[in-house]
Amino acid sequence: MNNKYLFKIILMTLFTLHSGLLFAVDKVIIEKMPQDLQDFFESAEACEGWISDFDPRLEKTTYNIVESVIKESCSDIEHKLSAMKNKYKNNKDYSARLTVYDDTIIIYDEYKKTRMKNKNN
């Protein structure tokens, strides 16, 4: 085995371990936050997850279920984010974490635009 290949394996292993540790630490930090924030984070993650799994080529029944869950998970996400930002505007840690979810709004808006374009065609 050459040194370059071994070095890549070591780097990938370290990255994986580091990422796993950060994920675990992040989960502990979130669990110490107020319940309404935890609920928002869960809802926003579900919204992003369902949108990323959406495929217009799904079987009709599955397609309808996924579309329904996206609507349920995401339809009020912008209002919820705004409310959380307003409520926790004086907490720098919470505000910084909430800012990450601006991307969720962008993702949902892009999904809606795509859906509208597909329905019009």
Side-chain angles (χ1 to χ4, degrees), residues 49-70 111 115:
W50 282 105
I51 289 173
S52 69
D53 289 342
F54 181 77
D55 183 347
R57 299 169 294 181
L58 291 169
E59 183 271 324
K60 181 86 171 149
T61 304
T62 305
Y63 175 93
N64 289 337
I65 291 170
V66 171
E67 215 174 33
S68 173
V69 173
I70 289 172
Y111 163 81
R115 297 298 308 126

Side-chain angles (χ1 to χ4, degrees), residues 76-102:
D76 202 24
I77 199 75
E78 190 168 2
H79 177 264
K80 289 177 184 176
L81 177 59
S82 179
M84 289 293 109
K85 282 182 172 183
N86 189 47
K87 182 175 181 178
Y88 294 106
K89 65 185 172 197
N90 295 324
N91 185 309
K92 290 180 185 178
D93 293 334
Y94 296 171
S95 293
R97 184 170 295 275
L98 285 164
T99 301
V100 171
Y101 291 96
D102 289 339

Side-chain angles (χ1 to χ4, degrees), residues 8-37:
K8 284 182 180 181
I9 291 175
I10 290 170
L11 282 178
M12 288 184 344
T13 303
L14 288 174
F15 176 75
T16 303
L17 292 173
H18 184 260
S19 297
L21 179 61
L22 287 177
F23 219 36
V25 169
D26 193 49
K27 184 166 175 51
V28 169
I29 292 169
I30 289 173
E31 288 176 352
K32 292 183 179 183
M33 292 183 178
Q35 189 62 49
D36 61 344
L37 273 177

Side-chain angles (χ1 to χ4, degrees), residues 41-55 66 69-70 73-74 104 107:
F41 296 145
E42 185 178 315
S43 177
E45 293 293 329
C47 174
E48 283 188 39
W50 282 105
I51 289 173
S52 69
D53 289 342
F54 181 77
D55 183 347
V66 171
V69 173
I70 289 172
S73 299
C74 303
T104 304
I107 291 167

